[in-house]
Amino acid sequence: VCAAKPEHDSVLVIGGGISGMTAAIEAAEAGREVYLVEKEPYLGGRVARLHQYFPKNCPPSCGLEINYQRIKKNPRLHVLTDTAVRKIEGAAGNFAVTVRTAPQVITEKCTACGDCLPACTAEVPSAFNLGMSTTKAVGIPTGMAFPFRYHLEAGALDAAGLAAIAAACKYGAVDTAAAEKVATLAVGAIVVATGWTPYDAGKLASLGHGSVPDVVTNVQLERMASANGPTGGKIVRRSNGEPVKSVAFVQCAGSRDKNHLSYCSAVCCMASFKQARYVLAQDEAAEVAIFYIDRRTQGRLEDYLQGLEGNPKVKMVKGKVADVLVNPATGRLQVNSEATLLGELKGKEFDLVVLATGMVPNGLDAETATSPATDEWGFLVPGTPGIYPVGCAKRPVDVSTANQDATGTALRAMTLA
Amino acid sequence: MDKIGVYLCSGCGIGDVVDLAKAAKVATGEYKVPVCKTHAALCGDEGTAMIRADIQAAGLDAVVVAACSARAMSDAFQFGGTHVERANFREHLAWCHAAGDEDTDMLAEDYMRMAVVRAQKTEPLTPFALPEGTFCKDVLVVGGGLVGLTAALAAAKAGSAVRLVEKEAALGGWMAAQYKEIPEAPPYKDLEDVKIGALIERVTAEKNITLHLGNTIAKTDGAPGYYTVTLSGGETFTTGAIVLATGATAYDVAKVAATGYGTSLNIITRDQLEAMAKAGAIVQPSTGKKPEPMRVVFVQCAGSRDKDHLAYCSAECCRITLKQARYVKEQYPAAEIYVLYKDLRAFGQHENFYTAVLDDGGVTFTKADVKSVTADGDTLTVVADDVLVGDELTIEADLVVLANGMVPSTVDTKANPVLNLGYRLGTDLPDTRYGFPDSEFICFPYETRRTAIYAAGAVRQPMDPLMAADDAYGAALKAIQAMDLISQGMAVHPRALDLSYPDFGLMRCTQCKRCTEECPFGALDEDVKGTPMPNPTRCRRCGICMGACPERIVSFKNYNVNMVSAMIKAIEIPEEDEEKPRVLCLICENDAYPALDLAGMNKMTYSAFVRFVPVRCLGSVNVIWINDSLASGFDGILLIGCKHGDDYQCHFVKGSELAGKRMENVSEKLKQLALEPERVQIHEVALTDYARIPEIIDGFMATIDKIGMNPFKGM
């Protein structure tokens, strides 16, 4: 708590994923002036890339739509996308935060009409689809995107390319001379909601990711299951595009493992159970095997696990997976664990293997003398006056818990608690 | 609104598809609007400057913008206090219908009619205000444990006057009985001292907090902003918002036969072990001695994850056992400890604690189903199935500790009410599963069904103390926020900031009680005759009462039965021989409207015979609209709303479900009129189901084609 009266009672929220969005909206609806800064061109972060939430198997866009409406209706909430925090100076109650907005070649005048699409010839890997597909260098990832305007991938078009899209735009929304903008925000408190990055499955050499196309991660599977994803919502073998008949989920892929992430990422069990339901929703005759150490469905999420138990199409076996190999004769995948060597799944092969990889915290990437402490893995530890880590920047949590934490964190930030 | 300016945008392909001159002619000809202009880029600086200048010059009090979806360009089309009505000529029209087509133009004309009528029928909003000086923004916290104390302090520090009611004579609750806490901070390996003493001191010293110890809530009358609370001790006071933090109790393990609880003093619960440790030494209860080596078996999920007892997991018991194993080892370094578990749940960074206990040694973790615990003198025998090996396991022990779960204090509010609310719909927050009061728990964990009452901590769902303290802050924020919004006459989530509220024309009320029964938020009480007694500060502005009312006496200034009826009647119905059927489609503005936008953005095409009318919630659909439509010659009516049932997505809990029930009655009525019940259909779509929209619409049109036009057309 500050001794002197704080200079500013506005709040800066760094990160426009679900935690940051919730913290920002809740503080703004409680009457505070709030800046929400997101480094990507759009809000939504990880949740915008999910097909469904557990435990309701409902689309994230439903809650995002409500949140975007709340943002649009609230004059106290200022959203700065494509914007990174560079420097934090000052102290609780009186921070000066330098933010940099990338050049906005596509400006707020964009109506999302799509006239520039035929004029753009450059293709880039789709950031929205985690690089699993390519997309035009100019565009909008989904009709749900917020802000609802196109974005141009930095550096993707040369002068001629820029001139072509500028010529195609009837609304003067292409600013070929756009420059970056640097601004300083005077705020009283900072909420750090920078979220997480999936653990690099390439480091799990024995599990085949990167070398075996039919080994995907859980976040990649979310994109495949999404109607606006790289496969139009079809879960297929990436090697040949065929539908999957049998899927193995490898839990704790790199988690609870001293050589990788020694902690538990808290959501992967539920995520795999949910994804098992995606597979069965697509083909009720498909088979699913889940290799786990412990099934961590705490609280009432237990109901979800119980809903799968006893389903003859879903086998759950305790045991760590040693490796994943392609059977050259069948082209299908062998998942080696005690269960497949000796147990009920002996000799079983799979069309697709999903690695339930964990979360790596993103931390606070800004020049500052008042950075929060981190634990041994980089999660931010609360305790720095005026700076409040939230959600997965602080600890691995699911969406519901992140929203709960973000709501309370809004009050901590408002009161410099 | 009288002076309406109409602005049409020909940009984004609208002008290429729609004959805007015809739509403009509707505004100027049929409705004689004083200003009507078309612009090639209405959202641009030039377009909006033109509108702004007209508002000034012509004194417009409303503008109709026939351009893109209301969800796009919302900042550009804001003109101070001037009412703005959006007609979706882009996503719902130009992007999904054929260019230069007579039917597309007729659709545009109808959308223009509907928008102008809507603007005409909208009245300026005046926020609801309680009588001067009666609004109280104080916060009542019920429960003086960790969560209640944390919430009370958080609210007090934010400037609220707080009253804290605790049934016991002392503060601290369950936490105060703990010997040690599980690790809450890096490195997440070491037991922590119980910190609640310091919290109690801060609360006791806080001048903004008034304590009421040894009291429960005898009665809570009133509504947010003016609750009158009577305590069991007789004291009464006023409060504005409530945080329910009454926690949980331990499940009665005597009900779980396999645990042997009650057959030996040496079979104890986790709370009993904690009490023993806190009191000093851990001993074998039957002998009072310290056996060497001490043999302890912890039985996890004692009654938990068991459909005959507690189906859920209590989230913290695994780590409490880790904690207890750790301190048993501290007292008995040679102890032989077994933990028999189903799944060991130490999520997040707490995995470090599990690893640390494993590294300590001396604790054997086995995935097992416990079959029995029996006593022979002072010695216990635990028999369990070792799940992995498939063998039966027999362990002798000096002490068996049962990790039993939590039961929310609201588990049976019928028998044991907690808040004793004077609400027609019940004394407490409605239950979800297992007695936990909650509603939408993914996106909006505080989306309570009783406005300005927020549950927090273990009463809300099983959680550990770290999460519970966060939850206390969350509930405190929501309580403060609700008071701030409600004091300004505004709605809270999900229609936060909305200034409209329902007005009840009670002179015409027939006391049918539908509105009082159907309001998901318990906003309406009723008097002895059954006349509704509205409580606008409890209201969430969904309009379900408006949909329920057969006398049509419920209305919002900017959304009411007459307005939508007038919009429906404004739609032009072609003669039967023109072979142009007309379908009215009432769509939920939360999910179905954006799903239609997405269909448009994806350039999906569907019949141009359908007219979409957005509604606040399908629950606000009044059956008179269906009757009006059929009477005025519509050939069919479609309702599209959110998913209902256990995994409901309706933002007003049961609006789409209620609409479904009402439509069943409509179906009966249609049969009486010798009309085909298929003429009225209800569909559920999620936002991501946009690709199904053409399918639903064209399927419905095929049905109409089959059964033929409305025989009442033109009558």
Short mmCIF file of all heavy atoms in Angstrom, two decimals, chain A residues 300, chain B residues 224 227 421 423 425 428-433 435-441 444-455 492-493 519-524 538-540 646 648 650-654 657:
data_model
loop_
_atom_site.label_atom_id
_atom_site.label_comp_id
_atom_site.label_asym_id
_atom_site.label_seq_id
_atom_site.Cartn_x
_atom_site.Cartn_y
_atom_site.Cartn_z
N ARG A 300 -15.03 -29.88 -9.59
CA ARG A 300 -16.16 -30.47 -10.32
C ARG A 300 -15.79 -30.89 -11.73
O ARG A 300 -16.60 -31.48 -12.43
CB ARG A 300 -17.32 -29.47 -10.32
CG ARG A 300 -18.00 -29.38 -8.98
CD ARG A 300 -19.04 -28.30 -8.97
NE ARG A 300 -18.42 -27.02 -9.25
CZ ARG A 300 -19.10 -25.91 -9.42
NH1 ARG A 300 -20.40 -25.91 -9.33
NH2 ARG A 300 -18.47 -24.78 -9.66
N PRO B 224 -30.43 -5.31 -4.17
CA PRO B 224 -29.13 -4.64 -4.21
C PRO B 224 -29.27 -3.13 -4.01
O PRO B 224 -30.13 -2.49 -4.61
CB PRO B 224 -28.63 -4.96 -5.61
CG PRO B 224 -29.25 -6.29 -5.92
CD PRO B 224 -30.60 -6.27 -5.27
N TYR B 227 -30.59 -3.65 0.78
CA TYR B 227 -30.95 -4.83 1.57
C TYR B 227 -31.10 -4.43 3.04
O TYR B 227 -30.30 -3.65 3.56
CB TYR B 227 -29.85 -5.90 1.51
CG TYR B 227 -29.79 -6.65 0.22
CD1 TYR B 227 -28.69 -6.52 -0.63
CD2 TYR B 227 -30.81 -7.51 -0.17
CE1 TYR B 227 -28.61 -7.23 -1.82
CE2 TYR B 227 -30.74 -8.22 -1.36
CZ TYR B 227 -29.64 -8.08 -2.18
OH TYR B 227 -29.57 -8.77 -3.35
N LEU B 421 -32.80 -14.90 2.03
CA LEU B 421 -33.28 -13.81 1.18
C LEU B 421 -34.80 -13.80 1.14
O LEU B 421 -35.42 -14.86 1.09
CB LEU B 421 -32.76 -13.99 -0.25
CG LEU B 421 -31.26 -13.93 -0.45
CD1 LEU B 421 -30.90 -14.39 -1.86
CD2 LEU B 421 -30.76 -12.50 -0.23
N TYR B 423 -36.68 -13.41 -1.26
CA TYR B 423 -36.97 -13.45 -2.70
C TYR B 423 -38.04 -14.49 -2.94
O TYR B 423 -38.00 -15.57 -2.37
CB TYR B 423 -35.71 -13.87 -3.50
CG TYR B 423 -34.66 -12.81 -3.72
CD1 TYR B 423 -34.28 -11.92 -2.73
CD2 TYR B 423 -34.00 -12.73 -4.95
CE1 TYR B 423 -33.29 -10.97 -2.95
CE2 TYR B 423 -33.01 -11.78 -5.19
CZ TYR B 423 -32.65 -10.91 -4.18
OH TYR B 423 -31.67 -9.99 -4.40
N LEU B 425 -38.20 -16.38 -5.30
CA LEU B 425 -37.62 -17.59 -5.87
C LEU B 425 -36.71 -18.35 -4.91
O LEU B 425 -36.00 -19.26 -5.31
CB LEU B 425 -36.86 -17.28 -7.16
CG LEU B 425 -37.72 -16.90 -8.36
CD1 LEU B 425 -36.87 -16.76 -9.61
CD2 LEU B 425 -38.82 -17.92 -8.60
N ASP B 428 -31.85 -18.46 -1.07
CA ASP B 428 -30.41 -18.42 -1.27
C ASP B 428 -30.07 -18.39 -2.75
O ASP B 428 -30.96 -18.41 -3.60
CB ASP B 428 -29.79 -19.66 -0.60
CG ASP B 428 -29.68 -19.47 0.90
OD1 ASP B 428 -28.68 -18.90 1.34
OD2 ASP B 428 -30.64 -19.83 1.62
N LEU B 429 -28.79 -18.35 -3.03
CA LEU B 429 -28.36 -18.45 -4.41
C LEU B 429 -28.81 -19.81 -4.94
O LEU B 429 -28.75 -20.79 -4.21
CB LEU B 429 -26.83 -18.35 -4.51
CG LEU B 429 -26.19 -17.03 -4.11
CD1 LEU B 429 -24.67 -17.14 -4.13
CD2 LEU B 429 -26.64 -15.93 -5.06
N PRO B 430 -29.25 -19.87 -6.20
CA PRO B 430 -29.63 -21.17 -6.74
C PRO B 430 -28.41 -22.10 -6.84
O PRO B 430 -27.29 -21.63 -7.05
CB PRO B 430 -30.16 -20.85 -8.14
CG PRO B 430 -30.27 -19.38 -8.22
CD PRO B 430 -29.38 -18.79 -7.18
N ASP B 431 -28.65 -23.38 -6.69
CA ASP B 431 -27.58 -24.38 -6.82
C ASP B 431 -27.27 -24.65 -8.27
O ASP B 431 -28.12 -24.50 -9.12
CB ASP B 431 -28.06 -25.73 -6.28
CG ASP B 431 -28.14 -25.74 -4.79
OD1 ASP B 431 -27.69 -24.77 -4.18
OD2 ASP B 431 -28.66 -26.73 -4.25
N THR B 432 -26.07 -25.10 -8.48
CA THR B 432 -25.82 -25.79 -9.75
C THR B 432 -25.73 -27.27 -9.40
O THR B 432 -26.71 -27.88 -9.05
CB THR B 432 -24.55 -25.28 -10.44
OG1 THR B 432 -23.50 -25.30 -9.50
CG2 THR B 432 -24.77 -23.89 -10.97
N ARG B 433 -24.54 -27.83 -9.42
CA ARG B 433 -24.41 -29.24 -9.05
C ARG B 433 -23.89 -29.37 -7.62
O ARG B 433 -23.04 -28.60 -7.20
CB ARG B 433 -23.42 -29.93 -9.99
CG ARG B 433 -23.96 -30.21 -11.36
CD ARG B 433 -22.83 -30.68 -12.27
NE ARG B 433 -21.88 -29.60 -12.54
CZ ARG B 433 -20.65 -29.78 -12.98
NH1 ARG B 433 -20.20 -30.98 -13.18
NH2 ARG B 433 -19.86 -28.75 -13.21
N GLY B 435 -24.87 -28.68 -4.77
CA GLY B 435 -25.10 -27.67 -3.76
C GLY B 435 -24.19 -26.47 -3.82
O GLY B 435 -24.27 -25.57 -2.99
N PHE B 436 -23.30 -26.43 -4.82
CA PHE B 436 -22.45 -25.25 -4.98
C PHE B 436 -23.24 -24.17 -5.72
O PHE B 436 -23.81 -24.44 -6.78
CB PHE B 436 -21.20 -25.58 -5.79
CG PHE B 436 -20.25 -26.51 -5.11
CD1 PHE B 436 -20.26 -27.87 -5.36
CD2 PHE B 436 -19.33 -26.01 -4.20
CE1 PHE B 436 -19.38 -28.73 -4.73
CE2 PHE B 436 -18.44 -26.86 -3.56
CZ PHE B 436 -18.47 -28.23 -3.82
N PRO B 437 -23.31 -22.95 -5.18
CA PRO B 437 -24.03 -21.90 -5.89
C PRO B 437 -23.14 -21.31 -6.98
O PRO B 437 -22.02 -20.90 -6.72
CB PRO B 437 -24.29 -20.86 -4.80
CG PRO B 437 -23.19 -21.06 -3.82
CD PRO B 437 -22.74 -22.49 -3.93
N ASP B 438 -23.59 -21.36 -8.18
CA ASP B 438 -22.72 -20.92 -9.28
C ASP B 438 -23.57 -20.82 -10.53
O ASP B 438 -24.70 -21.23 -10.56
CB ASP B 438 -21.63 -21.96 -9.50
CG ASP B 438 -20.40 -21.36 -10.16
OD1 ASP B 438 -20.52 -20.23 -10.69
OD2 ASP B 438 -19.36 -21.99 -10.15
N SER B 439 -23.01 -20.21 -11.58
CA SER B 439 -23.72 -20.32 -12.85
C SER B 439 -22.71 -20.56 -13.94
O SER B 439 -22.09 -21.61 -13.98
CB SER B 439 -24.57 -19.08 -13.10
OG SER B 439 -23.78 -17.93 -13.18
N GLU B 440 -22.50 -19.62 -14.78
CA GLU B 440 -21.62 -19.77 -15.94
C GLU B 440 -20.18 -19.74 -15.43
O GLU B 440 -19.67 -18.70 -15.09
CB GLU B 440 -21.88 -18.60 -16.89
CG GLU B 440 -21.09 -18.58 -18.14
CD GLU B 440 -21.48 -19.71 -19.05
OE1 GLU B 440 -22.68 -19.92 -19.26
OE2 GLU B 440 -20.56 -20.36 -19.55
N PHE B 441 -19.53 -20.90 -15.38
CA PHE B 441 -18.26 -20.87 -14.67
C PHE B 441 -17.02 -20.93 -15.54
O PHE B 441 -15.95 -21.21 -15.06
CB PHE B 441 -18.22 -21.93 -13.58
CG PHE B 441 -18.66 -23.29 -14.02
CD1 PHE B 441 -17.78 -24.14 -14.65
CD2 PHE B 441 -19.96 -23.70 -13.80
CE1 PHE B 441 -18.19 -25.38 -15.05
CE2 PHE B 441 -20.38 -24.96 -14.20
CZ PHE B 441 -19.49 -25.80 -14.83
N PHE B 444 -17.30 -16.42 -17.29
CA PHE B 444 -17.69 -15.40 -16.31
C PHE B 444 -17.96 -16.06 -14.97
O PHE B 444 -19.10 -16.31 -14.60
CB PHE B 444 -18.94 -14.65 -16.83
CG PHE B 444 -18.76 -14.16 -18.24
CD1 PHE B 444 -19.50 -14.70 -19.27
CD2 PHE B 444 -17.82 -13.20 -18.54
CE1 PHE B 444 -19.31 -14.29 -20.58
CE2 PHE B 444 -17.62 -12.77 -19.84
CZ PHE B 444 -18.37 -13.31 -20.87
N PRO B 445 -16.88 -16.34 -14.23
CA PRO B 445 -17.07 -17.12 -13.01
C PRO B 445 -17.92 -16.42 -11.95
O PRO B 445 -18.37 -17.07 -11.02
CB PRO B 445 -15.65 -17.36 -12.50
CG PRO B 445 -14.75 -16.50 -13.31
CD PRO B 445 -15.47 -16.08 -14.54
N TYR B 446 -18.15 -15.13 -12.11
CA TYR B 446 -18.99 -14.44 -11.12
C TYR B 446 -20.35 -14.05 -11.71
O TYR B 446 -20.98 -13.11 -11.24
CB TYR B 446 -18.25 -13.22 -10.57
CG TYR B 446 -16.95 -13.60 -9.92
CD1 TYR B 446 -15.74 -13.47 -10.60
CD2 TYR B 446 -16.92 -14.14 -8.64
CE1 TYR B 446 -14.55 -13.86 -10.03
CE2 TYR B 446 -15.73 -14.53 -8.06
CZ TYR B 446 -14.55 -14.39 -8.76
OH TYR B 446 -13.37 -14.79 -8.19
N GLU B 447 -20.77 -14.79 -12.74
CA GLU B 447 -22.06 -14.48 -13.36
C GLU B 447 -23.18 -15.03 -12.47
O GLU B 447 -23.84 -16.00 -12.79
CB GLU B 447 -22.13 -15.09 -14.75
CG GLU B 447 -23.23 -14.52 -15.60
CD GLU B 447 -23.18 -15.08 -17.01
OE1 GLU B 447 -23.53 -16.24 -17.21
OE2 GLU B 447 -22.77 -14.34 -17.91
N THR B 448 -23.36 -14.42 -11.35
CA THR B 448 -24.33 -14.91 -10.37
C THR B 448 -25.75 -14.77 -10.87
O THR B 448 -26.06 -13.90 -11.68
CB THR B 448 -24.18 -14.12 -9.06
OG1 THR B 448 -25.21 -14.51 -8.16
CG2 THR B 448 -24.29 -12.62 -9.28
N ARG B 449 -26.63 -15.60 -10.36
CA ARG B 449 -28.04 -15.47 -10.71
C ARG B 449 -28.80 -14.61 -9.70
O ARG B 449 -30.01 -14.46 -9.81
CB ARG B 449 -28.68 -16.85 -10.84
CG ARG B 449 -28.40 -17.46 -12.20
CD ARG B 449 -28.98 -18.84 -12.31
NE ARG B 449 -28.11 -19.82 -11.67
CZ ARG B 449 -28.44 -21.09 -11.49
NH1 ARG B 449 -29.62 -21.53 -11.89
NH2 ARG B 449 -27.60 -21.92 -10.92
N ARG B 450 -28.10 -14.10 -8.72
CA ARG B 450 -28.73 -13.15 -7.80
C ARG B 450 -27.83 -11.91 -7.80
O ARG B 450 -26.76 -11.90 -7.16
CB ARG B 450 -28.87 -13.73 -6.39
CG ARG B 450 -29.82 -14.91 -6.30
CD ARG B 450 -31.29 -14.52 -6.57
NE ARG B 450 -32.17 -15.69 -6.56
CZ ARG B 450 -32.55 -16.36 -7.66
NH1 ARG B 450 -32.14 -15.97 -8.86
NH2 ARG B 450 -33.34 -17.41 -7.57
N THR B 451 -28.28 -10.91 -8.54
CA THR B 451 -27.48 -9.72 -8.77
C THR B 451 -26.89 -9.18 -7.46
O THR B 451 -27.60 -9.08 -6.45
CB THR B 451 -28.38 -8.66 -9.43
OG1 THR B 451 -28.89 -9.23 -10.63
CG2 THR B 451 -27.61 -7.39 -9.76
N ALA B 452 -25.63 -8.83 -7.52
CA ALA B 452 -24.90 -8.21 -6.40
C ALA B 452 -24.69 -9.16 -5.22
O ALA B 452 -24.29 -8.72 -4.14
CB ALA B 452 -25.56 -6.91 -5.93
N ILE B 453 -24.93 -10.45 -5.43
CA ILE B 453 -24.56 -11.44 -4.42
C ILE B 453 -23.56 -12.39 -5.06
O ILE B 453 -23.86 -13.04 -6.06
CB ILE B 453 -25.79 -12.23 -3.91
CG1 ILE B 453 -26.86 -11.27 -3.40
CG2 ILE B 453 -25.37 -13.21 -2.82
CD1 ILE B 453 -28.14 -11.96 -2.94
N TYR B 454 -22.37 -12.44 -4.50
CA TYR B 454 -21.31 -13.23 -5.11
C TYR B 454 -20.76 -14.23 -4.12
O TYR B 454 -20.36 -13.86 -3.01
CB TYR B 454 -20.18 -12.30 -5.61
CG TYR B 454 -20.71 -11.31 -6.62
CD1 TYR B 454 -21.07 -10.01 -6.23
CD2 TYR B 454 -20.91 -11.67 -7.94
CE1 TYR B 454 -21.60 -9.11 -7.14
CE2 TYR B 454 -21.45 -10.79 -8.86
CZ TYR B 454 -21.79 -9.51 -8.46
OH TYR B 454 -22.32 -8.63 -9.37
N ALA B 455 -20.74 -15.48 -4.53
CA ALA B 455 -20.14 -16.52 -3.69
C ALA B 455 -18.64 -16.56 -3.95
O ALA B 455 -18.19 -16.29 -5.06
CB ALA B 455 -20.76 -17.87 -4.00
N VAL B 492 -25.74 -4.68 -14.49
CA VAL B 492 -24.46 -5.36 -14.36
C VAL B 492 -24.38 -6.43 -15.44
O VAL B 492 -25.29 -6.59 -16.25
CB VAL B 492 -24.27 -5.97 -12.95
CG1 VAL B 492 -24.39 -4.88 -11.89
CG2 VAL B 492 -25.25 -7.10 -12.68
N HIS B 493 -23.29 -7.13 -15.45
CA HIS B 493 -23.01 -8.16 -16.43
C HIS B 493 -24.23 -9.04 -16.71
O HIS B 493 -24.91 -9.41 -15.79
CB HIS B 493 -21.86 -9.04 -15.90
CG HIS B 493 -21.38 -10.03 -16.88
ND1 HIS B 493 -20.45 -9.71 -17.85
CD2 HIS B 493 -21.71 -11.32 -17.10
CE1 HIS B 493 -20.23 -10.78 -18.60
NE2 HIS B 493 -20.98 -11.76 -18.16
N CYS B 519 -38.38 -15.28 -14.18
CA CYS B 519 -37.18 -14.43 -14.11
C CYS B 519 -36.02 -15.26 -13.56
O CYS B 519 -36.09 -15.74 -12.43
CB CYS B 519 -37.41 -13.21 -13.23
SG CYS B 519 -35.88 -12.27 -12.99
N PRO B 520 -34.95 -15.43 -14.33
CA PRO B 520 -33.86 -16.28 -13.86
C PRO B 520 -33.10 -15.64 -12.69
O PRO B 520 -32.30 -16.30 -12.05
CB PRO B 520 -32.93 -16.39 -15.07
CG PRO B 520 -33.64 -15.77 -16.21
CD PRO B 520 -34.70 -14.88 -15.67
N PHE B 521 -33.35 -14.37 -12.46
CA PHE B 521 -32.54 -13.64 -11.49
C PHE B 521 -33.33 -13.29 -10.23
O PHE B 521 -32.85 -12.56 -9.37
CB PHE B 521 -31.97 -12.38 -12.15
CG PHE B 521 -31.23 -12.73 -13.40
CD1 PHE B 521 -31.76 -12.47 -14.65
CD2 PHE B 521 -30.00 -13.38 -13.32
CE1 PHE B 521 -31.09 -12.85 -15.81
CE2 PHE B 521 -29.32 -13.76 -14.47
CZ PHE B 521 -29.88 -13.49 -15.72
N GLY B 522 -34.55 -13.82 -10.15
CA GLY B 522 -35.35 -13.57 -8.95
C GLY B 522 -35.63 -12.09 -8.74
O GLY B 522 -35.74 -11.63 -7.60
N ALA B 523 -35.74 -11.35 -9.85
CA ALA B 523 -35.90 -9.90 -9.71
C ALA B 523 -37.28 -9.51 -9.22
O ALA B 523 -37.48 -8.42 -8.70
CB ALA B 523 -35.61 -9.21 -11.04
N LEU B 524 -38.25 -10.41 -9.42
CA LEU B 524 -39.63 -10.05 -9.14
C LEU B 524 -40.17 -10.82 -7.94
O LEU B 524 -40.15 -12.04 -7.92
CB LEU B 524 -40.51 -10.36 -10.37
CG LEU B 524 -40.06 -9.64 -11.64
CD1 LEU B 524 -40.58 -10.35 -12.87
CD2 LEU B 524 -40.53 -8.20 -11.61
N ARG B 538 -32.29 -5.62 -8.95
CA ARG B 538 -31.94 -7.03 -9.11
C ARG B 538 -31.93 -7.43 -10.58
O ARG B 538 -31.49 -8.50 -10.94
CB ARG B 538 -32.98 -7.93 -8.42
CG ARG B 538 -33.09 -7.83 -6.93
CD ARG B 538 -34.15 -8.83 -6.45
NE ARG B 538 -34.58 -8.58 -5.09
CZ ARG B 538 -35.66 -9.14 -4.54
NH1 ARG B 538 -36.39 -9.99 -5.26
NH2 ARG B 538 -36.00 -8.88 -3.30
N CYS B 539 -32.51 -6.56 -11.42
CA CYS B 539 -32.83 -6.91 -12.81
C CYS B 539 -31.58 -6.89 -13.69
O CYS B 539 -30.70 -6.07 -13.53
CB CYS B 539 -33.86 -5.92 -13.34
SG CYS B 539 -34.18 -6.04 -15.09
N ARG B 540 -31.56 -7.82 -14.67
CA ARG B 540 -30.42 -7.90 -15.59
C ARG B 540 -30.80 -7.49 -17.01
O ARG B 540 -30.00 -7.62 -17.92
CB ARG B 540 -29.84 -9.30 -15.57
CG ARG B 540 -29.40 -9.71 -14.17
CD ARG B 540 -28.05 -9.15 -13.81
NE ARG B 540 -27.08 -10.14 -14.11
CZ ARG B 540 -26.78 -11.15 -13.29
NH1 ARG B 540 -27.34 -11.23 -12.10
NH2 ARG B 540 -25.91 -12.04 -13.65
N ASP B 646 -28.01 -28.64 -19.56
CA ASP B 646 -26.97 -28.61 -18.52
C ASP B 646 -25.77 -27.75 -18.92
O ASP B 646 -25.22 -27.02 -18.12
CB ASP B 646 -26.47 -30.03 -18.21
CG ASP B 646 -27.49 -30.79 -17.37
OD1 ASP B 646 -28.39 -30.13 -16.82
OD2 ASP B 646 -27.38 -32.02 -17.29
N TYR B 648 -25.68 -25.19 -20.82
CA TYR B 648 -26.31 -24.08 -21.52
C TYR B 648 -25.32 -22.98 -21.88
O TYR B 648 -24.32 -22.77 -21.19
CB TYR B 648 -27.45 -23.48 -20.68
CG TYR B 648 -27.01 -22.77 -19.42
CD1 TYR B 648 -26.61 -21.44 -19.46
CD2 TYR B 648 -26.97 -23.42 -18.19
CE1 TYR B 648 -26.20 -20.79 -18.31
CE2 TYR B 648 -26.55 -22.78 -17.05
CZ TYR B 648 -26.17 -21.46 -17.11
OH TYR B 648 -25.75 -20.80 -15.99
N CYS B 650 -26.87 -19.96 -22.97
CA CYS B 650 -27.73 -18.78 -22.89
C CYS B 650 -27.14 -17.83 -21.84
O CYS B 650 -26.87 -18.24 -20.72
CB CYS B 650 -29.15 -19.19 -22.51
SG CYS B 650 -30.25 -17.79 -22.25
N HIS B 651 -26.97 -16.58 -22.22
CA HIS B 651 -26.36 -15.64 -21.29
C HIS B 651 -27.32 -15.21 -20.19
O HIS B 651 -26.92 -14.56 -19.24
CB HIS B 651 -25.83 -14.43 -22.05
CG HIS B 651 -24.71 -14.83 -22.97
ND1 HIS B 651 -23.44 -15.05 -22.53
CD2 HIS B 651 -24.71 -15.11 -24.28
CE1 HIS B 651 -22.70 -15.43 -23.55
NE2 HIS B 651 -23.44 -15.48 -24.61
N PHE B 652 -28.58 -15.58 -20.37
CA PHE B 652 -29.55 -15.29 -19.32
C PHE B 652 -30.11 -16.59 -18.74
O PHE B 652 -31.27 -16.70 -18.41
CB PHE B 652 -30.62 -14.34 -19.84
CG PHE B 652 -30.03 -13.03 -20.28
CD1 PHE B 652 -29.88 -12.72 -21.61
CD2 PHE B 652 -29.55 -12.13 -19.33
CE1 PHE B 652 -29.29 -11.53 -22.01
CE2 PHE B 652 -28.96 -10.95 -19.73
CZ PHE B 652 -28.82 -10.64 -21.06
N VAL B 653 -29.23 -17.56 -18.69
CA VAL B 653 -29.42 -18.83 -18.01
C VAL B 653 -30.45 -19.74 -18.66
O VAL B 653 -30.16 -20.86 -19.02
CB VAL B 653 -29.75 -18.65 -16.51
CG1 VAL B 653 -29.77 -19.99 -15.79
CG2 VAL B 653 -28.75 -17.71 -15.85
N LYS B 654 -31.68 -19.23 -18.80
CA LYS B 654 -32.70 -20.15 -19.31
C LYS B 654 -33.64 -19.51 -20.32
O LYS B 654 -34.74 -20.01 -20.53
CB LYS B 654 -33.49 -20.76 -18.14
CG LYS B 654 -34.12 -19.72 -17.20
CD LYS B 654 -34.91 -20.41 -16.11
CE LYS B 654 -35.70 -19.37 -15.34
NZ LYS B 654 -36.54 -19.94 -14.29
N GLU B 657 -34.36 -21.82 -23.24
CA GLU B 657 -35.15 -22.96 -22.76
C GLU B 657 -36.62 -22.54 -22.61
O GLU B 657 -37.53 -23.26 -23.02
CB GLU B 657 -34.57 -23.39 -21.41
CG GLU B 657 -35.17 -24.65 -20.86
CD GLU B 657 -34.57 -24.99 -19.49
OE1 GLU B 657 -33.47 -24.48 -19.17
OE2 GLU B 657 -35.20 -25.76 -18.77
#
